[in-house]
Amino acid sequence: MSREYLPGQVITYPYLWAWQNERGETDGRKARPTCVVVAVRSANDGLTHLVLLAITTQPPQADRIALEVSAIECRRAGLGDLKQCWVIVDEYNYDIAERSWYIEPDKKTLGRFSKTFMMKIATAFGSARNSGRRVSRLD
């Protein structure tokens, strides 16, 4: 796989919500914009480990942790057609790019969030990660 993944990139990915995973579902119901928050190439095996956050147009429930995406960040991320959206930071999908059944290697990124906004996402994710939910997409 020649594609490089970088934090802040927005890709299309069939995100599997934690509640769907808990019900026994194994596939995301639709491909959605998803933010790469962590992309680490392992020195041991050379594989790219990804932590992916869902982007949604649905306002988050009161018990969820999410960041609203400004209009300019929507445009940067290739989400200009969305009027309002949020990055959910209290759950994530974990996948390995080179072994993924869900990532299309030749598909282009939609766009990329600015470094400043990405730092806000990373900080919020770091704070929420211990109480958040991980959904492993390794089959």
Side-chain angles (χ1 to χ4, degrees), residues 40-73:
V40 177
R41 185 172 297 268
S42 171
N44 294 335
D45 58 17
L47 299 176
T48 308
H49 299 258
L50 300 174
V51 173
L52 304 163
L53 302 178
I55 299 172
T56 181
T57 58
Q58 298 299 312
Q61 297 171 344
D63 63 339
R64 300 302 305 264
I65 303 171
L67 294 176
E68 188 168 1
V69 182
S70 69
I72 192 164
E73 290 296 340

mmCIF file of all heavy atoms in Angstrom, residues 40-73:
data_model
loop_
_atom_site.group_PDB
_atom_site.id
_atom_site.type_symbol
_atom_site.label_atom_id
_atom_site.label_comp_id
_atom_site.label_asym_id
_atom_site.label_seq_id
_atom_site.Cartn_x
_atom_site.Cartn_y
_atom_site.Cartn_z
ATOM 1 N N VAL A 40 0.063 5.596 12.924
ATOM 2 C CA VAL A 40 1.409 5.213 13.352
ATOM 3 C C VAL A 40 1.859 4.005 12.551
ATOM 4 O O VAL A 40 1.180 2.975 12.529
ATOM 5 C CB VAL A 40 1.430 4.876 14.866
ATOM 6 C CG1 VAL A 40 2.809 4.397 15.288
ATOM 7 C CG2 VAL A 40 0.996 6.065 15.697
ATOM 8 N N ARG A 41 3.016 4.142 11.909
ATOM 9 C CA ARG A 41 3.608 3.009 11.197
ATOM 10 C C ARG A 41 4.496 2.275 12.185
ATOM 11 O O ARG A 41 5.438 2.826 12.730
ATOM 12 C CB ARG A 41 4.407 3.459 9.990
ATOM 13 C CG ARG A 41 4.919 2.273 9.172
ATOM 14 C CD ARG A 41 5.540 2.708 7.861
ATOM 15 N NE ARG A 41 4.589 3.357 6.991
ATOM 16 C CZ ARG A 41 3.858 2.731 6.064
ATOM 17 N NH1 ARG A 41 3.967 1.441 5.917
ATOM 18 N NH2 ARG A 41 3.028 3.389 5.306
ATOM 19 N N SER A 42 4.179 1.020 12.416
ATOM 20 C CA SER A 42 4.910 0.196 13.378
ATOM 21 C C SER A 42 6.308 -0.115 12.864
ATOM 22 O O SER A 42 6.489 -0.521 11.711
ATOM 23 C CB SER A 42 4.146 -1.109 13.624
ATOM 24 O OG SER A 42 4.931 -1.998 14.386
ATOM 25 N N ALA A 43 7.289 0.038 13.736
ATOM 26 C CA ALA A 43 8.666 -0.303 13.375
ATOM 27 C C ALA A 43 8.837 -1.814 13.268
ATOM 28 O O ALA A 43 9.698 -2.293 12.533
ATOM 29 C CB ALA A 43 9.631 0.262 14.412
ATOM 30 N N ASN A 44 8.008 -2.561 13.980
ATOM 31 C CA ASN A 44 8.122 -4.025 13.979
ATOM 32 C C ASN A 44 7.653 -4.647 12.675
ATOM 33 O O ASN A 44 8.332 -5.515 12.126
ATOM 34 C CB ASN A 44 7.322 -4.628 15.137
ATOM 35 C CG ASN A 44 7.908 -4.252 16.482
ATOM 36 O OD1 ASN A 44 9.087 -3.966 16.587
ATOM 37 N ND2 ASN A 44 7.082 -4.245 17.496
ATOM 38 N N ASP A 45 6.482 -4.234 12.201
ATOM 39 C CA ASP A 45 5.911 -4.896 11.030
ATOM 40 C C ASP A 45 5.694 -3.969 9.832
ATOM 41 O O ASP A 45 5.277 -4.413 8.771
ATOM 42 C CB ASP A 45 4.601 -5.595 11.395
ATOM 43 C CG ASP A 45 3.561 -4.649 11.983
ATOM 44 O OD1 ASP A 45 3.691 -3.420 11.834
ATOM 45 O OD2 ASP A 45 2.604 -5.158 12.605
ATOM 46 N N GLY A 46 5.929 -2.674 10.003
ATOM 47 C CA GLY A 46 5.767 -1.727 8.908
ATOM 48 C C GLY A 46 4.323 -1.402 8.571
ATOM 49 O O GLY A 46 4.064 -0.730 7.580
ATOM 50 N N LEU A 47 3.370 -1.867 9.390
ATOM 51 C CA LEU A 47 1.952 -1.631 9.140
ATOM 52 C C LEU A 47 1.496 -0.317 9.767
ATOM 53 O O LEU A 47 2.028 0.118 10.796
ATOM 54 C CB LEU A 47 1.119 -2.794 9.676
ATOM 55 C CG LEU A 47 1.424 -4.152 9.051
ATOM 56 C CD1 LEU A 47 0.616 -5.248 9.735
ATOM 57 C CD2 LEU A 47 1.160 -4.135 7.554
ATOM 58 N N THR A 48 0.494 0.291 9.151
ATOM 59 C CA THR A 48 -0.027 1.578 9.597
ATOM 60 C C THR A 48 -1.259 1.361 10.472
ATOM 61 O O THR A 48 -2.303 0.923 9.991
ATOM 62 C CB THR A 48 -0.388 2.470 8.393
ATOM 63 O OG1 THR A 48 0.734 2.538 7.521
ATOM 64 C CG2 THR A 48 -0.777 3.862 8.850
ATOM 65 N N HIS A 49 -1.119 1.671 11.755
ATOM 66 C CA HIS A 49 -2.200 1.536 12.727
ATOM 67 C C HIS A 49 -2.959 2.859 12.771
ATOM 68 O O HIS A 49 -2.360 3.927 12.923
ATOM 69 C CB HIS A 49 -1.629 1.185 14.096
ATOM 70 C CG HIS A 49 -0.891 -0.120 14.082
ATOM 71 N ND1 HIS A 49 -1.434 -1.281 14.568
ATOM 72 C CD2 HIS A 49 0.337 -0.454 13.602
ATOM 73 C CE1 HIS A 49 -0.574 -2.272 14.400
ATOM 74 N NE2 HIS A 49 0.509 -1.792 13.809
ATOM 75 N N LEU A 50 -4.281 2.771 12.621
ATOM 76 C CA LEU A 50 -5.121 3.967 12.534
ATOM 77 C C LEU A 50 -6.146 4.024 13.660
ATOM 78 O O LEU A 50 -6.750 3.007 14.012
ATOM 79 C CB LEU A 50 -5.879 3.981 11.210
ATOM 80 C CG LEU A 50 -5.050 3.984 9.930
ATOM 81 C CD1 LEU A 50 -5.958 3.838 8.721
ATOM 82 C CD2 LEU A 50 -4.222 5.257 9.832
ATOM 83 N N VAL A 51 -6.342 5.226 14.179
ATOM 84 C CA VAL A 51 -7.448 5.520 15.090
ATOM 85 C C VAL A 51 -8.326 6.515 14.343
ATOM 86 O O VAL A 51 -7.856 7.578 13.923
ATOM 87 C CB VAL A 51 -6.944 6.107 16.421
ATOM 88 C CG1 VAL A 51 -8.106 6.553 17.284
ATOM 89 C CG2 VAL A 51 -6.090 5.078 17.160
ATOM 90 N N LEU A 52 -9.596 6.139 14.155
ATOM 91 C CA LEU A 52 -10.520 6.896 13.315
ATOM 92 C C LEU A 52 -11.711 7.392 14.126
ATOM 93 O O LEU A 52 -12.314 6.626 14.882
ATOM 94 C CB LEU A 52 -11.008 5.999 12.179
ATOM 95 C CG LEU A 52 -9.884 5.388 11.326
ATOM 96 C CD1 LEU A 52 -10.403 4.221 10.508
ATOM 97 C CD2 LEU A 52 -9.273 6.441 10.437
ATOM 98 N N LEU A 53 -12.057 8.655 13.935
ATOM 99 C CA LEU A 53 -13.186 9.273 14.625
ATOM 100 C C LEU A 53 -14.287 9.597 13.620
ATOM 101 O O LEU A 53 -14.020 10.126 12.545
ATOM 102 C CB LEU A 53 -12.749 10.570 15.314
ATOM 103 C CG LEU A 53 -11.615 10.464 16.330
ATOM 104 C CD1 LEU A 53 -11.268 11.844 16.876
ATOM 105 C CD2 LEU A 53 -11.979 9.510 17.451
ATOM 106 N N ALA A 54 -15.517 9.299 14.015
ATOM 107 C CA ALA A 54 -16.658 9.555 13.138
ATOM 108 C C ALA A 54 -16.974 11.042 13.064
ATOM 109 O O ALA A 54 -16.844 11.772 14.050
ATOM 110 C CB ALA A 54 -17.885 8.799 13.645
ATOM 111 N N ILE A 55 -17.407 11.462 11.898
ATOM 112 C CA ILE A 55 -17.938 12.812 11.685
ATOM 113 C C ILE A 55 -19.409 12.628 11.350
ATOM 114 O O ILE A 55 -19.765 11.844 10.475
ATOM 115 C CB ILE A 55 -17.193 13.533 10.552
ATOM 116 C CG1 ILE A 55 -15.708 13.666 10.902
ATOM 117 C CG2 ILE A 55 -17.822 14.897 10.276
ATOM 118 C CD1 ILE A 55 -14.839 14.181 9.777
ATOM 119 N N THR A 56 -20.257 13.357 12.050
ATOM 120 C CA THR A 56 -21.696 13.184 11.881
ATOM 121 C C THR A 56 -22.406 14.526 11.755
ATOM 122 O O THR A 56 -21.933 15.533 12.285
ATOM 123 C CB THR A 56 -22.293 12.382 13.058
ATOM 124 O OG1 THR A 56 -23.701 12.213 12.860
ATOM 125 C CG2 THR A 56 -22.043 13.061 14.397
ATOM 126 N N THR A 57 -23.539 14.508 11.072
ATOM 127 C CA THR A 57 -24.372 15.709 10.980
ATOM 128 C C THR A 57 -25.423 15.740 12.086
ATOM 129 O O THR A 57 -26.126 16.734 12.230
ATOM 130 C CB THR A 57 -25.082 15.777 9.609
ATOM 131 O OG1 THR A 57 -25.879 14.600 9.447
ATOM 132 C CG2 THR A 57 -24.077 15.893 8.481
ATOM 133 N N GLN A 58 -25.523 14.666 12.849
ATOM 134 C CA GLN A 58 -26.500 14.603 13.942
ATOM 135 C C GLN A 58 -25.922 15.254 15.194
ATOM 136 O O GLN A 58 -24.820 14.896 15.619
ATOM 137 C CB GLN A 58 -26.865 13.151 14.256
ATOM 138 C CG GLN A 58 -27.509 12.424 13.105
ATOM 139 C CD GLN A 58 -28.807 13.077 12.679
ATOM 140 O OE1 GLN A 58 -29.661 13.387 13.505
ATOM 141 N NE2 GLN A 58 -28.949 13.311 11.385
ATOM 142 N N PRO A 59 -26.634 16.195 15.795
ATOM 143 C CA PRO A 59 -26.122 16.805 17.032
ATOM 144 C C PRO A 59 -25.880 15.720 18.081
ATOM 145 O O PRO A 59 -26.674 14.793 18.216
ATOM 146 C CB PRO A 59 -27.257 17.742 17.462
ATOM 147 C CG PRO A 59 -28.025 18.005 16.215
ATOM 148 C CD PRO A 59 -27.917 16.756 15.391
ATOM 149 N N PRO A 60 -24.759 15.821 18.810
ATOM 150 C CA PRO A 60 -24.449 14.780 19.790
ATOM 151 C C PRO A 60 -25.429 14.798 20.965
ATOM 152 O O PRO A 60 -25.930 15.857 21.340
ATOM 153 C CB PRO A 60 -23.038 15.127 20.249
ATOM 154 C CG PRO A 60 -22.885 16.581 19.942
ATOM 155 C CD PRO A 60 -23.746 16.856 18.752
ATOM 156 N N GLN A 61 -25.679 13.614 21.504
ATOM 157 C CA GLN A 61 -26.500 13.514 22.699
ATOM 158 C C GLN A 61 -25.757 14.170 23.856
ATOM 159 O O GLN A 61 -24.530 14.303 23.832
ATOM 160 C CB GLN A 61 -26.808 12.053 23.002
ATOM 161 C CG GLN A 61 -27.605 11.384 21.914
ATOM 162 C CD GLN A 61 -27.728 9.880 22.114
ATOM 163 O OE1 GLN A 61 -26.998 9.277 22.888
ATOM 164 N NE2 GLN A 61 -28.652 9.276 21.399
ATOM 165 N N ALA A 62 -26.501 14.542 24.896
ATOM 166 C CA ALA A 62 -25.924 15.277 26.024
ATOM 167 C C ALA A 62 -24.791 14.521 26.715
ATOM 168 O O ALA A 62 -23.872 15.137 27.253
ATOM 169 C CB ALA A 62 -27.021 15.617 27.033
ATOM 170 N N ASP A 63 -24.830 13.191 26.681
ATOM 171 C CA ASP A 63 -23.802 12.401 27.367
ATOM 172 C C ASP A 63 -22.596 12.084 26.488
ATOM 173 O O ASP A 63 -21.694 11.366 26.900
ATOM 174 C CB ASP A 63 -24.404 11.109 27.914
ATOM 175 C CG ASP A 63 -24.938 10.196 26.816
ATOM 176 O OD1 ASP A 63 -25.215 10.678 25.700
ATOM 177 O OD2 ASP A 63 -25.078 8.988 27.077
ATOM 178 N N ARG A 64 -22.545 12.604 25.279
ATOM 179 C CA ARG A 64 -21.452 12.347 24.350
ATOM 180 C C ARG A 64 -20.470 13.513 24.346
ATOM 181 O O ARG A 64 -20.830 14.644 24.660
ATOM 182 C CB ARG A 64 -21.989 12.140 22.926
ATOM 183 C CG ARG A 64 -22.959 10.997 22.745
ATOM 184 C CD ARG A 64 -22.405 9.639 23.143
ATOM 185 N NE ARG A 64 -21.184 9.273 22.484
ATOM 186 C CZ ARG A 64 -21.101 8.508 21.397
ATOM 187 N NH1 ARG A 64 -22.192 8.034 20.842
ATOM 188 N NH2 ARG A 64 -19.932 8.220 20.875
ATOM 189 N N ILE A 65 -19.241 13.223 23.922
ATOM 190 C CA ILE A 65 -18.209 14.255 23.811
ATOM 191 C C ILE A 65 -17.896 14.425 22.328
ATOM 192 O O ILE A 65 -17.488 13.474 21.660
ATOM 193 C CB ILE A 65 -16.949 13.873 24.603
ATOM 194 C CG1 ILE A 65 -17.306 13.626 26.076
ATOM 195 C CG2 ILE A 65 -15.894 14.972 24.481
ATOM 196 C CD1 ILE A 65 -16.185 13.032 26.887
ATOM 197 N N ALA A 66 -18.112 15.640 21.847
ATOM 198 C CA ALA A 66 -17.930 15.924 20.426
ATOM 199 C C ALA A 66 -17.491 17.365 20.241
ATOM 200 O O ALA A 66 -17.740 18.215 21.095
ATOM 201 C CB ALA A 66 -19.230 15.667 19.671
ATOM 202 N N LEU A 67 -16.847 17.634 19.118
ATOM 203 C CA LEU A 67 -16.462 18.996 18.759
ATOM 204 C C LEU A 67 -17.213 19.403 17.505
ATOM 205 O O LEU A 67 -17.232 18.660 16.517
ATOM 206 C CB LEU A 67 -14.959 19.067 18.476
ATOM 207 C CG LEU A 67 -14.020 18.824 19.643
ATOM 208 C CD1 LEU A 67 -12.578 18.829 19.161
ATOM 209 C CD2 LEU A 67 -14.211 19.865 20.720
ATOM 210 N N GLU A 68 -17.814 20.576 17.554
ATOM 211 C CA GLU A 68 -18.481 21.080 16.367
ATOM 212 C C GLU A 68 -17.426 21.566 15.373
ATOM 213 O O GLU A 68 -16.411 22.149 15.750
ATOM 214 C CB GLU A 68 -19.428 22.221 16.719
ATOM 215 C CG GLU A 68 -20.283 22.643 15.555
ATOM 216 C CD GLU A 68 -21.424 23.572 15.938
ATOM 217 O OE1 GLU A 68 -21.550 23.919 17.122
ATOM 218 O OE2 GLU A 68 -22.174 23.946 15.025
ATOM 219 N N VAL A 69 -17.681 21.301 14.111
ATOM 220 C CA VAL A 69 -16.745 21.669 13.046
ATOM 221 C C VAL A 69 -17.224 22.989 12.439
ATOM 222 O O VAL A 69 -18.365 23.096 11.998
ATOM 223 C CB VAL A 69 -16.678 20.566 11.970
ATOM 224 C CG1 VAL A 69 -15.671 20.937 10.889
ATOM 225 C CG2 VAL A 69 -16.322 19.219 12.601
ATOM 226 N N SER A 70 -16.338 23.971 12.422
ATOM 227 C CA SER A 70 -16.697 25.277 11.853
ATOM 228 C C SER A 70 -16.835 25.175 10.338
ATOM 229 O O SER A 70 -16.364 24.219 9.712
ATOM 230 C CB SER A 70 -15.618 26.313 12.201
ATOM 231 O OG SER A 70 -14.420 26.018 11.504
ATOM 232 N N ALA A 71 -17.435 26.185 9.747
ATOM 233 C CA ALA A 71 -17.640 26.200 8.293
ATOM 234 C C ALA A 71 -16.311 26.150 7.540
ATOM 235 O O ALA A 71 -16.175 25.427 6.544
ATOM 236 C CB ALA A 71 -18.437 27.441 7.890
ATOM 237 N N ILE A 72 -15.309 26.885 8.008
ATOM 238 C CA ILE A 72 -14.018 26.889 7.307
ATOM 239 C C ILE A 72 -13.329 25.528 7.420
ATOM 240 O O ILE A 72 -12.723 25.049 6.464
ATOM 241 C CB ILE A 72 -13.096 28.037 7.780
ATOM 242 C CG1 ILE A 72 -11.919 28.165 6.814
ATOM 243 C CG2 ILE A 72 -12.625 27.823 9.201
ATOM 244 C CD1 ILE A 72 -11.154 29.457 6.924
ATOM 245 N N GLU A 73 -13.449 24.875 8.584
ATOM 246 C CA GLU A 73 -12.859 23.543 8.748
ATOM 247 C C GLU A 73 -13.606 22.525 7.892
ATOM 248 O O GLU A 73 -12.995 21.600 7.366
ATOM 249 C CB GLU A 73 -12.827 23.125 10.213
ATOM 250 C CG GLU A 73 -11.830 23.898 11.060
ATOM 251 C CD GLU A 73 -10.372 23.704 10.675
ATOM 252 O OE1 GLU A 73 -10.031 22.701 10.003
ATOM 253 O OE2 GLU A 73 -9.550 24.561 11.045
#
